[in-house]
Amino acid sequence: MPNPDAVSLRVCHPGIVKPAAAQPVMLSENDANNIGKLLDLAPAGSANCGKHPDAVLRFGYRNGTQADVEIFAVPEPDETGCDQTTASVAGHVWVLSPTLATFLDSTSIAAGAKATPPPVPDVTGLSLAQATEVLTRAGLTITSGGRVTDPLLSPDTVVLQDPPAGPGMMWSGTEVDVLLSQQPAPACDAAQLAFDYRGVQYGTGDAFADLDVRDIATTACTLTGPISVVGLDAGGHAATNQLTFMVARDLVLTAKAPPRAVDGSAPKNAVMAWIPLQANVRDGPDANGSCANHLIVPKTWAVTVAGGKRMVSNGAGASEPPMSACEGELMSPPQTGNQVRPLD
């Protein structure tokens, strides 16, 4: 990866932003060092996900040299094996946290300097509480854009902000999105994880449900994969096909996390994960082309994770109806969705 001790950073968004708005953004030396450090901490990967980068970062150094880093934040639909976000430098590939990759690919950072609203305060390096105070005084609000692991920073320190500090950004909102630091945590054990079924919604002939994953132990843990899910009948036999999910890098679950609220919102300041489930429930082998007579309703979901297996009820009464699947066939998630990710 490039030397993290850069003095400037130019962010370009090739092939996506309209030419009139495609001016690159120059970030500060502080931002350049923070991003360079996070890239330097990334583990090596095996393949790029996509033919064209979603963003290009050009680091500048005091001696006049430069280094370009290509960010592949969203795998392309026609690519195979693209279940991770990556950074690429001179043919070498590193695996990125999707939170960091998405942040670097964000619209306001990549849009370029054109409009001139009031300057955005620089809150990078401040604690969440301090950043909130600074932005509130400026008439702005703060939102969390996720977390990245940085062992050199105290938890809840602002690593990056979107939009960046200073005047001239194409930005007309009042919210500043911040990327917060988190400390490394040991891998989760299956015994410290709780799973909550969140059912079921329908659209375009498909049923959608989620399995929330949360840490109920007294210490935080890093969720690792792969995670497999299969529906079982009342006798404990497989009633659906099995799905396998990768787990996004840097997914550190908050200790003692409570379940979602009744309205479906995630607990404040708690990091949970979610496993998406999808199945066709409309079209099938019935004489009229429907699947009404061939719907399979699993009794439980068997989740294999962290060397253990957990059983999750498929439904929780009238408030959480069970999910069904035509002939027991769960739909494989697309490449862009084949990761267990933090619950927003």
Side-chain angles (χ1 to χ4, degrees):
M1 297 298 279
N3 187 328
D5 297 324
V7 295
S8 67
L9 176 59
R10 183 185 296 263
V11 181
C12 303
H13 205 202
I16 297 177
V17 178
K18 295 180 181 179
Q23 300 180 40
V25 175
M26 291 297 297
L27 300 185
S28 68
E29 180 176 350
N30 188 34
D31 287 333
N33 284 321
N34 282 341
I35 294 174
K37 179 179 62 175
L38 291 172
L39 294 175
D40 195 51
L41 291 170
S46 58
N48 277 330
C49 287
K51 300 173 183 175
H52 307 289
D54 296 286
V56 176
L57 312 181
R58 175 161 291 176
F59 290 86
Y61 302 96
R62 296 190 189 281
N63 62 2
T65 60
Q66 296 177 333
D68 284 356
V69 179
E70 295 181 335
I71 303 296
F72 297 85
V74 181
E76 295 184 12
D78 62 343
E79 295 293 324
T80 58
C82 292
D83 53 14
Q84 295 177 319
T85 51
T86 59
S88 178
V89 181
H92 299 284
V93 179
W94 285 262
V95 179
L96 293 186
S97 157
T99 301
L100 175 60
T102 301
F103 197 93
L104 296 174
D105 182 44
S106 61
T107 301
S108 58
I109 284 183
K114 191 172 183 180
T116 55
V120 179
D122 187 356
V123 296
T124 303
L126 300 182
S127 68
L128 177 59
Q130 292 169 329
T132 301
E133 182 179 351
V134 169
L135 293 174
T136 300
R137 287 201 305 264
L140 303 171
T141 57
I142 189 170
T143 60
S144 174
R147 297 172 185 272
V148 291
T149 300
D150 190 330
L152 303 179
L153 291 178
S154 300
D156 290 335
T157 299
V158 177
V159 179
L160 295 170
Q161 66 181 77
D162 178 15
M169 298 304 300
M170 287 186 65
W171 182 69
S172 58
T174 59
E175 291 186 348
V176 176
D177 207 18
V178 296
L179 194 63
L180 299 173
S181 63
Q182 64 187 9
Q183 288 290 294
C188 297
D189 183 89
Q192 73 185 106
L193 299 176
F195 294 84
D196 305 312
Y197 170 82
R198 299 288 304 182
V200 63
Q201 299 181 12
Y202 298 93
T204 63
D206 293 340
F208 302 86
D210 299 336
L211 298 180
D212 290 350
V213 189
R214 52 194 176 90
D215 179 8
I216 56 175
T218 57
T219 56
C221 67
T222 299
L223 189 63
T224 58
I227 296 176
S228 65
V229 179
V230 62
L232 305 181
D233 61 20
H237 305 291
T240 73
N241 57 310
Q242 178 176 289
L243 297 182
T244 300
F245 298 84
M246 303 300 292
V247 175
R249 182 174 170 262
D250 270 0
L251 212 173
V252 177
L253 304 180
T254 306
K256 298 192 290 187
R260 287 200 227 184
V262 175
D263 64 2
S265 59
K268 187 177 181 180
N269 298 325
V271 178
M272 303 163 53
W274 64 285
I275 304 171
L277 301 176
Q278 181 178 353
N280 164 49
V281 293
R282 182 184 62 189
D283 305 318
D286 292 357
N288 62 357
S290 75
C291 196
N293 298 315
H294 291 80
L295 290 176
I296 301 297
V297 183
K299 180 69 174 178
T300 57
W301 301 104
V303 182
T304 302
V305 58
K309 183 175 289 187
R310 305 298 300 275
M311 299 299 176
V312 187
S313 176
N314 182 29
S319 62
E320 295 286 356
M323 178 179 176
S324 56
C326 183
E327 299 186 295
E329 185 68 23
L330 299 175
M331 298 174 65
S332 297
Q335 294 293 345
T336 53
N338 191 21
Q339 281 193 354
V340 177
R341 295 174 180 260
L343 175 67
D344 296 329

